[in-house]
Amino acid sequence: MSSDLGKIAVIGGGNIGEALIAGLLKAGVEPTSIFATNRSPERSSELAQRYGILTGSDNVEAVTDASMCFLCVKPAQILEVIEEVSDTVARHDESTAIVSMAAGITLAAIEGAVSAAGTPLFRVMPNTPMLVGRGVHVVASSRFVDEEKRAQVLGVLAATGRVVEVPERLIDAATAVSGSGPAYFFLLTEALVDAGVSLGLPRDVAQELAAATASGAGEMLMEGTSPAQLRHAVCSPAGTTVAAVRELEESGLRGALYRATEAAAARSAELGE
Ligand SMILES: NC(=O)c1ccc[n+]([C@@H]2O[C@H](COP(=O)([O-])OP(=O)(O)OC[C@H]3O[C@@H](n4cnc5c(N)ncnc54)[C@H](OP(=O)(O)O)[C@@H]3O)[C@@H](O)[C@H]2O)c1
């Protein structure tokens, strides 16, 4: 990543904010170019000690002359934080990109809260594997984003995971697949562990088998072969796997995923209203 990113403000150093900070440092960003804020001084000193970054509770100080400002507070706080920092962003000669990581908050709502009309805005739906550098960031951007700003912001996000750009109308659907997706795989793994215990495996052994299998299957999927092809390759005729797959299909696994993702997308749209 370019070492010349300028000052990076991270407003809200909670789970997502900390994952972003950790990823940036791992990618070689200078710790003192990051300024993170929290309201609680305890959390700020914890982050300063752990990462050597600048911290504080003053959001205006954090965004002053920043090249980008990542908003990692809860959705309910996003607009009030933007209003708090918006005049400072407007006064910056170089443009400061505003990057919201909040579920549900639309680019139109963000645009309505900033003072300078041409501020480059990004709406990102991350997911929690960014905590281990393996996140997925679904990104939609406003019409005021130029190529240079886009490359800068997407490069920073890439430090903690894969970046996929979509038009904003697809963000709710993407939220249902990747934003909420880790929970589906956790639930599936949890159920597989219980099923293994029911078959007589000690719980720690079942847990190790299920988690390592999820990780290995994930690695194979990332090599680009389609999931259907990978599954066909492990379903030998009249074998054990095809017997299990038949039970899963008859139990309605596919239908459950259609319904689950519809519920998640609808909830995401509702949060933005
Ligand atoms: N966690 C996920 O799985 C996930 C997935 C996708 C998207 N997101 C999005 O990521 C965002 C952050 O989620 P999170 O899980 O990281 O939440 P979190 O752990 O609660 O972090 C929010 C942080 O913001 C700080 N904060 C609150 N108000 C502030 C203010 N006015 N100024 C400065 N700092 C402030 C809080 O600390 P103080 O209370 O000390 O101020 C806290 O450390 C949310 O908008 C969420 O929609 C999260």
Side-chain angles (χ1 to χ4, degrees), residues 1-97:
M1 193 189 317
S2 158
S3 56
D4 191 23
L5 292 168
K7 178 180 172 188
I8 300 174
V10 178
I11 309 293
N15 294 312
I16 294 290
E18 182 172 359
L20 183 65
I21 292 163
L24 289 175
L25 296 179
K26 221 166 157 187
V29 170
E30 193 56 44
T32 50
S33 63
I34 301 175
F35 195 127
T37 59
N38 280 94
R39 289 165 307 184
S40 79
E42 295 78 21
R43 177 65 178 159
S44 285
S45 27
E46 191 180 307
L47 291 174
Q49 275 175 13
R50 192 172 299 156
Y51 300 106
I53 57 170
L54 306 174
T55 61
S57 57
D58 187 341
N59 293 334
V60 169
E61 185 187 357
V63 302
T64 302
D65 297 333
S67 61
M68 47 195 118
C69 168
F70 287 87
L71 299 171
C72 305
V73 295
K74 291 288 189 197
Q77 289 143 350
I78 288 280
L79 296 180
E80 73 190 50
V81 168
I82 296 176
E83 276 160 18
E84 185 187 345
V85 301
S86 136
D87 286 347
T88 311
V89 167
R91 274 196 298 273
H92 191 201
D93 296 339
E94 320 269 323
S95 59
T96 306

Side-chain angles (χ1 to χ4, degrees), residues 144-234:
F144 301 113
V145 171
D146 64 25
E147 231 359 88
E148 192 188 344
K149 220 29 151 187
R150 185 179 154 274
Q152 224 180 31
V153 169
L154 267 48
V156 164
L157 290 169
T160 55
R162 179 171 284 251
V163 176
V164 180
E165 283 188 278
V166 298
E168 191 180 21
R169 66 187 158 75
L170 295 181
I171 285 258
D172 293 329
T175 299
V177 174
S178 62
S180 306
Y184 315 154
F185 289 102
F186 297 146
L187 181 65
L188 189 70
T189 308
E190 188 191 329
L192 188 56
V193 171
D194 282 339
V197 171
S198 163
L199 286 171
L201 291 173
R203 184 163 290 277
D204 59 337
V205 173
Q207 157 83 32
E208 190 179 351
L209 296 184
T213 301
S215 170
E219 290 285 329
M220 287 177 83
L221 283 166
M222 288 312 292
E223 283 174 5
T225 311
S226 79
Q229 268 177 293
L230 290 170
R231 184 171 58 78
H232 294 165
V234 289

